[in-house]
Amino acid sequence: MKTYKKISIIIPIYNVEDYISENLQSVMRQTYKGAIECILVDDCGTDKSIAVAEQLIAAYKGPIEFRILHHNHNRGLSAARNTGLDNAKGEFVYFLDSDDFIDENTIEVLYDSIQSGDYTLAISYFTKYTEKGDEIYRSEWIFDAPRVIESDEYAERMLMQKSNFASPAKLYKRELLKQLRFKEGRLNEDTLFVIDTISIIEERKLKCIDVPFYSYHYRMNETSISHKPTYKMDTAYVENIQVAIDRYKDRTDLVEWLKSDQLTRCIKVLRDREVDKMHYEIVIKYLRYFSNKFINEHKRSPKTYLHILMIKYLPHLMWIIEHKY
């Protein structure tokens, strides 16, 4: 007989008054036959998000248990997710951001996938939700059918972004998360969380299942708890991915890919017309880590190469020229 375990859905809430209704209704429609608790973490926004959520929950007559936890002040996305984890009672955990929504069979499909073998994590994928409809993030690396990811290949698949490199849209066994928490006060927190997850999966030789299932609908919302200016997120990524570069320094191919990705992000920040001087200088520090040979090999255009060298060796002059400060 099929058994069903309790699942905790964790939703941080911050300034999503226009979207929280669609978000919660997508949870309420879940077809999963087991117990679901939905933990909403109020991160002290300035709109009526919580009031809308409370009204919806009060009118709800279904089997899902909803709980609202309140922060005393705004603490950020990482802290809100951690509060949810600290209070979760389910044997499985699913992260959902409050301006996004999921298909009605999301939890059912991921639960069936993770229970189909000795798996610790079920990975699914996103669509980008726009006014014109969904745009699927397709990649040549995504499998056509569910596939097992062994522990010794998980780092490469995650860090080389051949899979879902985020914390939402995955179903976790809660035991995997016992030692894990999001780093509070850091941007691009998913990068560090994924890196820490990799370490545990490798150490315990755990298996994951990758499912080509596009049931998570991601919405870009400028007021949400997770939205920050692009250059700030990219700068944080440059800093955070260095943790993986240092941790996996003996894996030559992986480090080569990560350094190339890091260089690309550095250049993106430096060319951002909105970047402030503080973030510009942080990225310059990382740019100096790269040898001229490495830059040349990874940027074939002579014009781009010379531009990068000028930024690398004459950063203050280039700041004045490019940003007119």
Side-chain angles (χ1 to χ4, degrees):
M1 180 179 294
K2 186 174 181 179
T3 59
Y4 295 93
K5 304 294 185 180
K6 187 171 187 175
I7 293 174
S8 300
I9 299 176
I10 296 173
I11 307 177
I13 298 181
Y14 179 82
N15 287 357
V16 285
E17 181 180 348
D18 293 338
Y19 312 120
I20 189 61
S21 178
E22 185 174 30
N23 171 278
L24 292 181
Q25 287 174 4
S26 76
V27 172
M28 293 172 179
R29 288 194 294 265
Q30 289 304 299
T31 57
Y32 178 66
K33 295 181 175 60
I36 294 177
E37 66 166 3
C38 184
I39 302 174
L40 283 63
V41 183
D42 172 15
D43 199 42
C44 303
T46 57
D47 67 1
K48 298 179 181 178
S49 297
I50 293 300
V52 173
E54 289 173 338
Q55 185 176 6
L56 279 170
I57 292 169
Y60 174 68
K61 304 298 182 183
I64 297 174
E65 174 193 357
F66 285 90
R67 288 191 284 151
I68 300 179
L69 306 177
H70 300 275
H71 283 171
N72 292 325
H73 59 277
N74 176 249
R75 294 169 53 192
L77 178 60
S78 292
R81 286 176 175 167
N82 288 341
T83 295
L85 278 174
D86 291 341
N87 289 274
K89 298 177 182 178
E91 293 185 48
F92 295 86
V93 172
Y94 185 88
F95 296 109
L96 173 61
D97 288 345
S98 53
D99 42 1
D100 304 330
F101 61 96
I102 54 178
D103 290 344
E104 62 184 13
N105 62 340
T106 297
I107 300 301
E108 179 182 9
V109 169
L110 290 179
Y111 180 80
D112 287 346
S113 298
I114 207 169
Q115 291 292 81
S116 65
D118 186 22
Y119 308 128
T120 301
L121 175 64
I123 304 164
S124 67
Y125 292 89
F126 300 84
T127 73
K128 181 180 179 181
Y129 186 75
T130 68
E131 293 181 357
K132 297 180 181 179
D134 281 343
E135 297 177 9
I136 294 178
Y137 290 115
R138 293 196 180 276
S139 167
E140 60 180 304
W141 304 110
I142 297 177
F143 303 125
D144 294 329
R147 180 167 170 177
V148 177
I149 307 297
E150 302 287 348
S151 59
D152 59 358
E153 61 179 323
Y154 189 74
E156 280 74 9
R157 186 149 185 91
M158 282 291 119
L159 292 171
M160 295 176 73
Q161 299 185 29
K162 297 178 179 179
S163 189
N164 168 11
F165 191 62
S167 52
K170 296 175 179 174
L171 186 64
Y172 305 78
K173 278 190 176 179
R174 191 157 68 103
E175 64 186 40
L176 172 65
L177 305 178
K178 283 183 179 179
Q179 300 175 18
L180 289 174
R181 289 297 181 270
F182 292 88
K183 300 294 189 298
E184 298 187 21
R186 297 286 292 268
L187 295 181
N188 201 268
E189 58 286 315
D190 276 3
T191 299
L192 293 175
F193 185 80
V194 170
I195 292 170
D196 289 342
T197 303
I198 291 169
S199 297
I200 294 176
I201 287 173
E202 287 187 327
E203 289 169 6
R204 299 183 188 174
K205 300 187 183 305
L206 303 173
K207 295 181 180 180
C208 308
I209 185 164
D210 195 305
V211 186
F213 180 48
Y214 296 85
S215 66
Y216 188 108
H217 304 273
Y218 167 79
R219 188 198 315 267
M220 192 64 180
N221 168 27
E222 294 186 358
T223 63
S224 76
I225 194 172
S226 59
H227 181 81
K228 297 290 181 183
T230 300
Y231 70 84
K232 291 186 179 180
M233 296 298 289
D234 285 328
T235 301
Y237 179 85
V238 167
E239 294 182 296
N240 293 343
I241 207 65
Q242 186 66 41
V243 174
I245 291 172
D246 294 338
R247 187 172 297 180
Y248 298 102
K249 58 186 176 182
D250 297 330
R251 301 190 193 183
T252 305
D253 291 344
L254 176 57
V255 169
E256 177 79 7
W257 192 95
L258 291 173
K259 288 178 65 178
S260 176
D261 186 39
Q262 190 182 43
L263 176 60
T264 299
R265 296 292 185 106
C266 284
I267 296 167
K268 184 180 176 185
V269 172
L270 295 170
R271 287 181 166 174
D272 191 323
R273 298 294 298 176
E274 301 299 322
V275 64
D276 59 36
K277 196 165 186 179
M278 181 184 76
H279 289 83
Y280 187 89
E281 291 178 349
I282 289 172
V283 171
I284 288 294
K285 178 185 70 175
Y286 284 90
L287 183 62
R288 289 180 178 138
Y289 291 169
F290 301 104
S291 69
N292 294 350
K293 179 181 177 182
F294 186 90
I295 294 172
N296 187 38
E297 288 174 347
H298 289 78
K299 293 293 168 186
R300 300 296 182 183
S301 164
K303 183 178 179 180
T304 299
Y305 175 61
L306 290 173
H307 186 201
I308 295 169
L309 292 187
M310 290 180 68
I311 295 173
K312 181 178 179 180
Y313 294 113
L314 299 168
H316 299 297
L317 174 61
M318 293 305 294
W319 170 265
I320 293 171
I321 292 172
E322 298 190 328
H323 298 274
K324 304 184 188 303
Y325 286 168

